């Protein structure tokens, strides 16, 4: 049997595995595995040449027991209903793992944004924002950036919503530009939590991250910031990749220079600081101390996992390891810091942004980074306690056990009505 590559099936398997360690009835388990509701919409948008193109888009509101639905919006040709469902579920357990008072949601448009002009992307985004307006709000559902979206798209969504609702409500969306109510530290937050979590994992193993060699798969926002910050900790980045391929230098290279090269040429490949070109699969199987998957789901399948040699994996991407890949890595004693803690920095600083928006009172970057660090370190310790006390098979199971219990506690308090 090959790997299950449907991310929603992977997500449900993860919840089922953790549920075995919790006293939970079947109805509640069903609730914990399925979204509350999904918007599926077809956006008809005028292109620059006057033609009309239709784009399928989704928003899944997975669970709101602990607070407003929260999660990003991605633009990618592989977006599907099941992918959005899985990503929204991971958000629900991510906010619970981080212990922040938010639920889980996710959205996406089926599109390759590199094929459209900026004005077309603005019309597509505003069309989606128009469909989303009845569903979102600072107390109901709060979108954010994800793969191929950033401050620009968030600003368009905020502006469309505020215009249609005749209000000012910056907390309706996070990941905005600072001038539109964004938070200091938000752009770096996902990479920052990924490396803080990795550092805690190294400490736990009595190893020193300062001397670690690191490979990073994916060089978008989460990947490249992780590479930069881990390098600032003293580690050596020996390999990075993007969808065009990877680069490797046994002695390491400058992560920022590699990013500049990508910005100028569109890819990390061809970067002068590296002496070898490698594939994404070769990168994932390098003999490094720390591996950071920062691209998409299903990067580490059962087959890829057989060749993984890293001691620690900190998941910057959502769902980068399939359940079968996880089983192989467990046998090899690889310590995996799961996505729902490792990359929770993004949504945690989104939470800080929302708090600042509601108070109309803004923090400096130091405060943001310190508060983020406290949350990731404390929650890492909570997961380690659960992992050790209950003899759980992995940190991932520990994260789900802790997170599911927090959602169940909130759901039981609220009671299921009617
Ligand atoms: N898209 C990010 C994630 O997957 C951030 C979500 C948010 O800030 O709401 O966690």
């Amino acid at each position: 049997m090959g790997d299950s590559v449907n991310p929603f099936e992977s997500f449900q398997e993860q919840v089922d595995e953790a549920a075995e360690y919790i006293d939970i009835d079947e109805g509640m388990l069903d609730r914990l595995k399925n979204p509350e509701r999904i918007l599926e919409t077809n956006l008809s948008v005028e292109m620059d040449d006057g033609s009309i193109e239709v784009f399928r888009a989704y928003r899944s509101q997975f669970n709101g027991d602990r607070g407003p639905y929260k999660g990003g919006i991605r633009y990618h040709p592989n977006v599907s209903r099941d992918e959005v469902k899985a990503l929204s579920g991971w958000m629900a357990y991510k906010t619970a793992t981080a212990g922040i008072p938010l639920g889980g949601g996710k959205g996406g448009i089926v599109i390759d944004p590199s094929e459209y002009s900026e004005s077309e992307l603005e019309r597509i985004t505003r069309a989606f924002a128009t469909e989303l307006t009845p569903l979102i709000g600072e107390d109901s559902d709060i979108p954010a950036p994800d793969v191929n979206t950033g401050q620009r798209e968030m600003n368009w969504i905020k502006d469309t919503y505020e215009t249609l609702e005749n209000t000012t409500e910056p907390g309706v969306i996070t990941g905005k530009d600072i001038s539109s109510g964004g938070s200091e530290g938000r752009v770096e937050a996902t990479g920052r939590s990924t490396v803080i979590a990795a550092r805690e994992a190294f400490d736990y193993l009595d190893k020193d991250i300062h001397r670690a060699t690191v490979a990073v798969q994916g060089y978008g926002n989460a990947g490249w910031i992780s590479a930069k910050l881990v390098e600032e900790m003293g580690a050596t980045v020996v390999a990075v990749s993007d969808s065009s391929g990877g680069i490797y230098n046994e002695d390491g290279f400058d992560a920022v220079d590699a990013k500049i090269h990508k910005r100028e040429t569109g890819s990390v490949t061809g970067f002068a600081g590296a002496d070898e070109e490698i594939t994404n699969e070769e990168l994932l199987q390098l003999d490094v101390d720390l591996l950071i998957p920062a691209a998409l789901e299903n990067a580490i399948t059962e087959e890829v996992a057989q060749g993984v040699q890293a001691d620690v994996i900190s998941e910057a991407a959502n769902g980068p390891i399939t359940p079968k890949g996880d089983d192989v890595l467990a046998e090899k004693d690889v310590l995996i810091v799961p996505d729902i803690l490792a990359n929770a920095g993004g949504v945690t600083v989104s939470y800080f942004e929302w708090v600042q928006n509601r108070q109309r009172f803004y923090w400096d970057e130091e405060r943001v980074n310190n508060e983020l660090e406290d949350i990731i370190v404390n929650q890492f310790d909570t997961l380690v306690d659960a992992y050790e006390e209950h003899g759980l098979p992995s940190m991932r199971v520990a994260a789900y056990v802790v997170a599911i219990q927090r959602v169940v506690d909130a759901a039981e308090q609220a009671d299921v009505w009617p």
Side-chain angles (χ1 to χ4, degrees), residues 219 242-245 258-269:
Y219 224 50
D242 57 30
S243 52
S244 310
K259 179 64 184 179
I260 293 168
H261 175 82
K262 181 174 166 69
R263 205 170 281 149
E264 282 165 2
T265 66
S267 169
V268 294
T269 55

Side-chain angles (χ1 to χ4, degrees), residues 296-418:
L296 297 171
E297 307 86 78
N298 299 331
I300 304 180
T301 57
E302 181 178 19
E303 203 187 323
V304 174
Q306 319 270 6
V308 167
Q309 301 182 66
D311 300 318
V312 175
I313 298 179
S314 190
E315 296 182 326
N318 292 310
I321 306 178
T322 65
K324 286 195 174 129
D326 247 349
D327 293 344
V328 173
L329 297 174
E331 268 168 43
K332 293 181 165 205
D333 261 344
V334 181
L335 180 60
I336 299 167
V337 189
D339 45 8
I340 58 173
L341 177 70
N343 74 36
V347 72
T348 300
V349 176
S350 277
Y351 164 55
F352 299 158
E353 181 174 331
W354 177 74
V355 168
Q356 294 169 74
N357 290 155
R358 307 200 68 156
Q359 297 189 338
R360 304 296 209 252
F361 178 79
Y362 288 85
W363 309 354
D364 61 21
E365 193 178 350
E366 197 185 339
R367 175 167 178 195
V368 171
N369 290 345
N370 288 341
E371 304 247 6
L372 172 61
E373 167 121 18
D374 283 353
I375 286 182
I376 300 299
V377 170
N378 290 338
Q379 299 301 342
F380 183 90
D381 290 346
T382 304
L383 300 198
V384 167
D385 289 348
Y387 174 62
E388 290 182 345
E389 261 172 45
H390 305 293
L392 299 174
S394 68
M395 286 284 279
R396 188 183 316 281
V397 174
Y400 276 94
V401 166
V402 168
I404 288 172
Q405 193 60 58
R406 288 175 178 168
V407 174
V408 169
D409 288 349
E412 282 176 351
Q413 283 305 318
D415 220 340
V416 178
W417 181 90

Side-chain angles (χ1 to χ4, degrees), residues 17-43:
E17 189 181 358
E20 285 171 28
Y21 300 90
I22 308 170
D23 181 21
I24 202 168
D25 67 51
E26 243 175 75
M28 181 61 85
L29 183 57
D30 205 2
R31 177 179 172 84
L32 294 169
K33 284 167 58 181
N34 291 289
E36 289 176 18
R37 71 183 70 79
I38 304 168
L39 167 76
E40 179 174 335
T41 176
N42 293 297
L43 310 168

Side-chain angles (χ1 to χ4, degrees), residues 70-72 91 94 106 144-146 174 186 318 343 346-347 350:
K70 184 84 192 83
M91 284 310 303
K94 190 184 301 185
K106 199 75 156 207
D146 198 76
T174 58
R186 175 62 186 83
N318 292 310
N343 74 36
V347 72
S350 277

Side-chain angles (χ1 to χ4, degrees), residues 160-168:
T160 307
Y161 175 87
E162 289 184 335
T163 304
L164 291 171
E165 295 289 293
N166 187 29
T167 187
T168 57

Side-chain angles (χ1 to χ4, degrees), residues 42-287:
N42 293 297
L43 310 168
S44 302
V45 183
E46 188 175 334
M47 298 292 100
D48 290 343
D49 66 3
S51 64
I52 296 286
E53 209 171 310
V54 178
F55 300 88
R56 174 123 343 135
Y58 304 93
R59 179 77 182 169
S60 167
Q61 298 183 328
F62 191 89
N63 184 287
D65 288 326
R66 300 183 59 265
Y69 307 105
K70 184 84 192 83
I73 291 177
R74 86 170 37 177
Y75 289 0
H76 197 277
N78 293 348
V79 164
S80 67
R81 193 177 174 95
D82 270 358
E83 187 197 47
V84 170
K85 280 162 70 175
L87 290 162
S88 67
W90 283 322
M91 284 310 303
Y93 298 114
K94 190 184 301 185
T95 53
T97 303
I100 55 179
L102 297 165
K106 199 75 156 207
I109 305 183
V110 186
I111 184 175
D112 177 354
S114 67
E115 289 177 1
Y116 296 88
S117 71
E118 179 158 1
S119 64
E120 287 169 336
L121 288 172
E122 178 169 354
R123 287 195 293 281
I124 294 161
T125 304
R126 287 186 185 276
F128 192 29
T130 304
E131 293 300 315
L132 288 173
T133 288
L135 299 179
I136 62 176
E138 62 180 8
D139 286 319
S140 51
D141 183 355
I142 308 151
D146 198 76
V147 173
N148 290 330
T149 59
Q151 292 177 336
R152 182 182 67 172
E153 288 74 15
M154 301 307 108
N155 296 346
W156 287 332
I157 295 172
K158 169 180 172 276
D159 183 60
T160 307
Y161 175 87
E162 289 184 335
T163 304
L164 291 171
E165 295 289 293
N166 187 29
T167 187
T168 57
E169 195 181 311
V172 66
I173 196 158
T174 58
K176 304 175 292 291
D177 190 83
I178 302 278
S179 61
S180 300
S183 176
E184 297 289 348
R186 175 62 186 83
V187 171
E188 293 202 332
T190 306
R192 187 171 293 279
S193 66
T194 302
V195 301
I196 293 171
R199 185 196 65 207
E200 295 304 296
F202 274 73
D203 277 358
Y204 178 65
L205 296 174
D206 272 331
K207 288 188 176 164
D208 189 357
I209 199 164
H210 311 289
R211 275 193 282 276
T213 52
V214 186
V216 181
Q217 187 227 6
Y219 224 50
N221 179 261
W224 105 262
I225 299 286
S226 297
K228 183 183 88 150
L229 295 178
V230 83
E231 200 171 76
E232 283 173 15
M233 280 180 181
T236 307
V237 175
V238 296
V240 301
S241 69
D242 57 30
S243 52
S244 310
I247 52 173
Y248 176 64
N249 184 340
E250 198 186 359
D251 300 323
F253 50 80
D254 191 292
V256 179
D257 287 346
K259 179 64 184 179
I260 293 168
H261 175 82
K262 181 174 166 69
R263 205 170 281 149
E264 282 165 2
T265 66
S267 169
V268 294
T269 55
F271 172 56
D275 45 23
E276 230 182 283
E277 307 261 312
I278 55 175
T279 64
N280 269 281
E281 185 163 335
E282 284 165 341
L283 178 141
L284 295 166
Q285 298 180 331
L286 284 173
D287 186 8

